[in-house]
Amino acid sequence: MSEAPHLLVTQDDSILIATFNRPEKLNAMSMELMALLEEAVLRFRDTTELKVMLIRATGRYFSAGADLKGDGGSSLPKTGSGIREMHRRLPTRMRQIWDEMEAIEKPFVVAHQARCVGGSLEMSMSCDFRLAAKSASYAFPEAKFGVLPATNGVSRLVRLVGPHWARLLIMANIPVDADEARIMGLVHKVFPDESFEDDVMAFCRHLTQQNGEMMGASKVAIELSTDLPAHQAASVERLVNSSLMLGEGYQKLMTAHIASIGSKKG
């Protein structure tokens, strides 16, 4: 009997849904899972009618991170430069996939129904929106082995939550629950376990109703503004908005909105 696919990919209207499907292995991210995920990410990128990609899981873990057993692994390089190159070119292509998710001008949503650690947390930080069930929790276990989460784990975490909270997760190696993750800015929303799936889908459907050009342009503008001084970031928003406001859609929507205000006053 063949093993079930490590990742299930389905479509709900304009939402592409990728579900980690190794609950008996704590959804460890195998080579197969990563290959299927990359395929789904590229499908999402290249299919115009798809507006949102949701990544979720089943079981008592969202994911335990990289599959350290199932993929065997190669011997560790003997030099510092060799290890750095290994991180840059992991056979799972993790770094390349996370970078592509961050660059695609459409929203990625990740939904954590349970514990999310290691590589799966690094992946989640490449998504635009992170949603948590009340029972979810977060950790970087790499510190137990005296190393860092090096597939953009440090760099993206600091950008999201700042050095203050990054020290707690990485240096102190202390897990955080869903509410703590929301306070520090690691997740956007925390939903009750009982209604989590429905709440996640409602959130994704809300995103599909937003203007696609605005969403893509906002993603670029927000990313650029993160690294720029305030006056240069303001120039970015003016530049991006000028192209959006010249579009026919803006003129029609604004005219309709003004007309609706007038009718309400009458």
Side-chain angles (χ1 to χ4, degrees):
M1 185 175 179
S2 60
E3 185 181 11
H6 292 188
L7 186 80
L8 301 177
V9 179
T10 57
Q11 185 173 336
D12 185 323
D13 293 329
S14 58
I15 303 169
L16 189 67
I17 304 172
T19 305
F20 287 17
N21 189 43
R22 305 184 74 203
E24 74 288 349
K25 300 291 186 181
L26 304 182
N27 290 316
M29 301 164 76
S30 64
M31 292 286 285
E32 178 187 328
L33 188 152
M34 293 304 304
L36 292 171
L37 179 61
E38 182 173 26
E39 183 180 300
V41 167
L42 298 183
R43 172 182 168 187
F44 177 60
R45 182 194 66 188
D46 298 335
T47 307
T48 304
E49 59 266 28
L50 291 174
K51 296 182 178 181
V52 175
M53 182 166 173
L54 169 63
I55 302 174
R56 65 185 185 185
T58 59
R60 62 189 182 94
Y61 266 62
F62 172 80
S63 173
D67 188 347
L68 301 179
K69 292 183 178 179
D71 296 328
S74 56
S75 59
L76 194 67
K78 303 302 182 184
T79 65
S81 60
I83 292 174
R84 291 192 292 273
E85 187 67 9
M86 175 194 71
H87 282 308
R88 191 177 71 84
R89 295 191 302 158
L90 288 172
T92 57
R93 288 181 51 79
M94 279 185 175
R95 186 181 299 276
Q96 290 84 353
I97 298 170
W98 306 166
D99 289 348
E100 186 67 11
M101 290 165 58
E102 204 169 56
I104 291 171
E105 292 183 25
K106 293 194 282 187
F108 286 82
V109 179
V110 63
H112 305 123
Q113 90 290 359
R115 190 167 179 81
C116 172
V117 303
S120 66
L121 181 50
E122 291 179 308
M123 177 206 71
S124 298
M125 292 191 296
S126 299
C127 294
D128 299 285
F129 300 99
R130 288 163 295 281
L131 309 179
K134 184 73 172 179
S135 60
S137 62
Y138 302 87
F140 276 122
E142 288 84 352
K144 295 178 181 179
F145 314 111
V147 296
L148 305 178
T151 311
N152 292 342
V154 176
S155 54
R156 283 199 174 101
L157 183 66
V158 171
R159 285 164 66 91
L160 285 175
V161 307
H164 176 75
W165 292 113
R167 287 185 174 93
L168 184 73
L169 277 165
I170 296 174
M171 292 177 65
N173 189 26
I174 295 177
V176 297
D177 62 27
D179 289 326
E180 291 172 316
R182 185 181 62 81
I183 290 170
M184 67 172 61
L186 186 58
V187 302
H188 293 89
K189 291 280 189 180
V190 177
F191 295 117
D193 293 343
E194 299 76 16
S195 61
F196 184 60
E197 290 188 17
D198 290 338
D199 290 332
V200 167
M201 290 308 299
F203 184 90
C204 291
R205 292 190 180 103
H206 171 78
L207 291 182
T208 66
Q209 301 306 307
Q210 308 311 303
N211 179 276
E213 285 298 317
M214 178 278 294
M215 294 278 274
S218 295
K219 188 166 179 174
V220 173
I222 290 168
E223 185 64 24
L224 286 173
S225 298
T226 302
D227 296 322
L228 291 175
H231 69 284
Q232 292 181 345
S235 296
V236 169
E237 67 188 42
R238 291 196 301 272
L239 179 64
V240 172
N241 218 36
S242 65
S243 63
L244 293 174
M245 293 180 74
L246 287 173
E248 183 179 347
Y250 168 76
Q251 300 294 337
K252 286 183 177 180
L253 290 170
M254 185 56 72
T255 300
H257 178 67
I258 293 172
S260 69
I261 293 174
S263 66
K264 289 176 183 177
K265 288 182 178 180

